[in-house]
Amino acid sequence: MAMNYTVLQFGEGNFIRAFFDWMLQKIGDATGEEHRVFLVQPIDRGRVEEIAAAGEYHVLLRGYQEGEYREILDPVRVVAGGTNPFTPEGLMAMYEAALSPDLRVVTSNTTEAGIFFEERRTPHNYPSLLAAALEKRAAEGLPPLHVVPLELIENNGAVLKECLEKYGKLWNYGPAYFSYLEGCTFYDTLVDRIVTGFPAKEAAEVFRKIGHEDRNVTAGELFHLFVLQGDKSILDVLPFHKAGLNAVITGDRLSFYRDRKVRVLNGVHTASVPVALLAGVEYVKDFVEDPRFAPRLRSLVHDEIVPAFSDDAEAHQYGDDVLERFRNPALEHAFRSIALNSVAKSNTRLRPTLEGYFGKFGELPPILTECIAAMTELYDCDGVKDLPGGPLELSDHRQLRGRSLAEMTDGFFPGLSPDLRAVLLSRLGELRRVK
């Protein structure tokens, strides 16, 4: 008799296993409801068969919680099967799993580039594989599903649904398919947990605690936040609240949580990069605990980023959570990695605070402006910057249209309002001359 699955999951990477599948296990532990996940590789190479065959893996969670450092090692036993759909046999196995009578949820984490439409006649990527599977469910008259993508793109649920509609039209699916899509509940989501993957340095000790070797163990931080924008009926299938999970079901506030994460967590990361590297500090944990920088970092969060955004208690608490997360000694976040693509990241992560603060208070955010000045200093080179910790090759240096201060500033923040640009350039010039 074939296994009857409850969740069809595209992607078997570290993040989704340490986030969504871990949550499924917690829900099962709290309620006694068993979830059975069928893994589908979204590309032709992956580790689905190995993970499915193991039947269990562990999630190592470490970090500060209410000021106390904690370490948890949780077993996860929800993965019940899986396949590589890029073989004829694997594709049939996916179809069979998709026809499970108990199936209620589709989830995915196929990277930011995983949700796209391409005119091809056969299933070849995540949306096309899902479209083919849902067409078969529609033909069988099976219940519609809750579709919960985790990809870090804006409006991920809506974008995925649009791709499914395009494949249905391309492949001439009948009205039943499109009616089925309308019956499904699509969620736009935001996920927040730092997952570092296999803990190679501590593997021997982790295996000792488990009692056997687990090559699928994955590590991350204790903090987690899952925001789903859409119908609360998902709680009938996945009662996050019964397991004490930090999940928020919202009708229209996903943009608030997304902006908050981008401005605070991602913004602090990007703003810190040039200051830290120019000072010879290579890791985030060391930077946030350095007495030269810690007070100014708190001020950046609570006096500049949050006030420019909302300045409510919830946003300030999130700021405190972020700074506590950055102190986590188990997470080796290297500034050299965070520095990748800083030109694009600055415009996405720092610009909203720069413009919001200037618009609200009529002046520049002082600490953020100093960070921007440091960023221009970091990029004031021929593409390789000599730093105390060794040279850094700036892979996106070519995006800047020259090396004058004005050209660099326009490269980081193209199209600023004339008033803001003039004030910013004047202050950056002062800061660079002081140095």
Side-chain angles (χ1 to χ4, degrees):
M1 181 177 175
M3 175 72 73
N4 192 359
Y5 301 97
T6 62
V7 177
L8 186 65
Q9 176 174 308
F10 291 81
E12 78 281 14
N14 289 310
F15 180 83
I16 196 168
R17 291 190 295 113
F19 188 81
F20 190 85
D21 296 334
W22 172 82
M23 286 187 174
L24 292 179
Q25 184 67 55
K26 288 298 181 183
I27 290 171
D29 293 343
T31 65
E33 300 172 1
E34 182 186 6
H35 280 286
R36 299 173 300 281
V37 178
F38 187 84
L39 301 179
V40 181
Q41 284 179 204
I43 57 176
D44 60 1
R45 289 186 295 176
R47 300 179 57 241
V48 159
E49 292 181 2
E50 174 189 346
I51 294 167
E56 175 187 276
Y57 63 90
H58 292 76
V59 177
L60 175 63
L61 301 173
R62 298 171 289 184
Y64 287 99
Q65 198 167 60
E66 298 178 353
E68 179 184 354
Y69 185 78
R70 300 179 61 203
E71 183 173 308
I72 297 170
L73 187 59
D74 284 333
V76 177
R77 305 183 180 95
V78 298
V79 176
T83 191
N84 174 6
F86 297 93
T87 68
E89 300 81 7
L91 187 62
M92 292 306 297
M94 183 196 74
Y95 289 150
E96 185 176 343
L99 294 176
S100 296
D102 288 347
L103 194 68
R104 293 294 178 267
V105 176
V106 172
T107 189
S108 60
N109 187 35
T110 59
T111 80
E112 291 90 324
I115 300 180
F116 66 95
F117 171 78
E118 186 178 2
E119 289 198 19
R120 292 172 62 174
R121 304 309 304 179
T122 56
H124 59 95
N125 65 356
Y126 162 43
S128 62
L129 288 164
L130 180 56
L134 295 185
E135 193 273 338
K136 295 190 179 301
R137 279 187 68 84
E140 293 291 326
L142 290 168
L145 303 173
H146 296 272
V147 184
V148 187
L150 309 187
E151 285 82 1
L152 293 175
I153 62 172
E154 196 167 349
N155 305 318
N156 48 14
V159 172
L160 175 58
K161 184 180 181 183
E162 182 180 355
C163 287
L164 295 174
E165 292 171 342
K166 288 180 177 179
Y167 280 113
K169 293 175 182 175
L170 177 67
W171 295 340
N172 297 315
Y173 285 163
Y177 171 78
F178 294 96
S179 296
Y180 186 84
L181 286 187
E182 292 308 311
C184 291
T185 307
F186 288 81
Y187 292 84
D188 293 333
T189 69
L190 174 71
V191 295
D192 192 355
R193 166 173 269 173
I194 297 169
V195 174
T196 52
F198 183 76
K201 291 183 178 179
E202 306 94 341
E205 176 63 16
V206 172
F207 294 162
R208 186 190 67 77
K209 290 179 179 179
I210 293 172
H212 62 86
E213 193 172 283
D214 178 7
R215 287 291 166 184
N216 299 315
V217 65
T218 183
E221 63 174 340
L222 282 170
F223 180 92
H224 68 280
L225 172 64
F226 193 16
V227 184
L228 301 92
Q229 182 168 283
D231 195 280
K232 291 185 181 294
S233 61
I234 188 74
L235 295 176
D236 296 333
V237 181
L238 300 176
F240 302 105
H241 55 294
K242 292 183 180 179
L245 296 168
N246 190 15
V248 177
I249 317 299
T250 178
D252 58 1
R253 294 193 77 216
L254 183 67
S255 59
F256 167 82
Y257 292 100
R258 183 181 300 281
D259 288 349
R260 188 181 71 175
K261 177 178 182 288
V262 169
R263 294 184 187 214
V264 181
L265 187 146
N266 302 124
V268 170
H269 263 161
T270 298
S272 300
V273 162
V275 179
L277 291 178
L278 290 169
V281 182
E282 295 287 328
Y283 292 95
V284 172
K285 174 187 175 294
D286 298 327
F287 186 70
V288 298
E289 293 190 334
D290 192 313
R292 295 174 296 171
F293 307 116
R296 297 178 66 74
L297 207 54
R298 289 195 61 82
S299 182
L300 173 65
V301 169
H302 291 293
D303 298 332
E304 298 181 16
I305 295 176
V306 173
F309 171 44
S310 68
D311 208 19
D312 65 1
E314 188 178 351
H316 280 289
Q317 180 59 54
Y318 181 75
D320 285 334
D321 291 342
V322 164
L323 294 176
E324 186 174 64
R325 293 163 69 185
F326 287 173
R327 292 175 54 221
N328 191 342
L331 302 179
E332 289 193 342
H333 259 185
F335 279 116
R336 288 171 183 262
S337 296
I338 299 170
L340 292 173
N341 300 314
S342 285
V343 174
K345 287 177 179 177
S346 294
N347 194 48
T348 302
R349 301 175 176 187
L350 306 184
R351 182 180 187 135
T353 296
L354 179 65
E355 292 181 327
Y357 193 95
F358 185 76
K360 189 173 182 179
F361 301 107
E363 60 186 22
L364 296 173
I367 296 173
L368 179 61
T369 304
E370 292 177 11
C371 295
I372 294 169
M375 188 71 78
T376 66
E377 182 178 346
L378 183 67
Y379 275 77
D380 191 5
C381 62
D382 293 322
V384 177
K385 186 71 173 182
D386 289 324
L387 298 169
L392 172 67
E393 182 176 352
L394 299 163
S395 60
D396 58 349
H397 185 268
R398 64 187 181 281
Q399 297 182 31
L400 302 181
R401 299 181 300 277
R403 292 194 296 146
S404 73
L405 184 60
E407 288 171 327
M408 280 194 289
T409 303
D410 290 339
F412 288 118
F413 308 110
L416 287 177
S417 70
D419 289 348
L420 174 54
R421 182 180 183 274
V423 174
L424 179 61
L425 284 176
S426 176
R427 179 58 179 151
L428 292 178
E430 294 172 0
L431 290 168
R432 289 297 301 273
R433 281 194 293 274
V434 167
K435 293 178 180 297

